[in-house]
Amino acid sequence: MKVLITGSNGLLGQHLIPVFLEDGRYQVIASGRGPNRLPMQTGYTYEATNLRDATSVRHLLEKHQPDILIHAAAMTQVDDCERNKDLCWDTNVAATRYLLQAAEKHNTFFIFLSTDFVFDGLQGPYAEEDVVNPISYYGSSKVAAESMVRNSKLPWAIVRTVLVYGVAADPKRSNIITWVKSNLEQGKKLKVVDDQWRTPTLVQDLAAGCKLVADKKATGIFHISGKETLTPYQMALQTAGYFKLNTQLLEKVDAKSFTQPAKRPAKTGFVIDKAVKELGFAPHSFEEGLDIVAKEI
């Protein structure tokens, strides 16, 4: 089967490619913006594609005619989306529409990556059937794209996830673990939010969840995340403890201490029972995730 993965240069994309390559049943086509930045350069086809251009998208799908498309490309920086709404819409919504239109000619199974930010954060953790109510432009763009996926003529799945962490090939890409470790090692004090709750997701777990959806051609919405509800401050404490760094440098603060263009939902996190029962999804604990990330740094 041919699987096309968009956003292949991103954190998730970098982990999806090897997961599918290890399974001999799949022929992998990776699509990213600009040159191929994946650590492994062989065993798959790479296509540099501007997903905001309908013609480029159509040519990509006509050339490869994938059986499965995993649309992981997105503009995910919440404040950047708030500042540049046109670019956010073009990247997260228009590109999804172009992919859906092109995929309909080939009856491609369409897997769309979404986010906990489709919810308002008033009553988390959330199950798949809970009502969406975004409070940021990023969240709104993902709701609009989800709606197009659900209303398409294709077989589809929506995989929502939460606060993904892990190690990317790009050293400039940080995550909460590397951010805390790096700053505390330099003796810097950190202010960390303790009034927002998430179920942090190890990128390897998210990649495995997407692979389960693809293998089973499982349709519908799936919440794929970690299983523990933690605040960023709690994550920072665990990280400092794991690396034996000075926890006194961590200051617990409220979200209102920061001035940010986009609102963040207070309490999201996911109920993952459906993914566990229907897919066999089995995420690592945050402590186990720390161990995996530490070995990769």
Side-chain angles (χ1 to χ4, degrees), residues 115-136:
T115 171
D116 57 321
F117 276 43
V118 299
F119 298 108
D120 56 23
L122 298 179
Q123 295 186 346
Y126 291 95
E128 287 84 353
E129 63 272 11
D130 287 328
V131 178
V132 298
N133 185 32
I135 59 172
S136 66

Side-chain angles (χ1 to χ4, degrees), residues 14 34 67 103 193 253 275:
Q14 288 181 26
D67 301 291
V193 170
V253 297

Side-chain angles (χ1 to χ4, degrees), residues 115-116 118-119 123-132 146 160 162 199 221-225 267-275:
T115 171
D116 57 321
V118 299
F119 298 108
Q123 295 186 346
Y126 291 95
E128 287 84 353
E129 63 272 11
D130 287 328
V131 178
V132 298
E146 279 192 10
R160 294 187 186 133
V162 185
T199 45
I221 300 173
F222 294 93
H223 282 183
I224 300 284
S225 77
K267 185 172 186 177
T268 63
F270 284 160
V271 177
I272 59 171
D273 294 354
K274 180 183 177 184

Side-chain angles (χ1 to χ4, degrees), residues 22 30-31 50 76 94 107 121 171 176-178 203 220 228 230 237 255 258 264 281:
E22 285 164 11
S31 170
N50 177 9
T76 59
N107 199 37
I176 189 159
I177 293 172
T178 52
V203 67
E228 299 152 282
L230 299 166
L237 272 182
F258 300 100
R264 270 76 167 166
F281 177 60

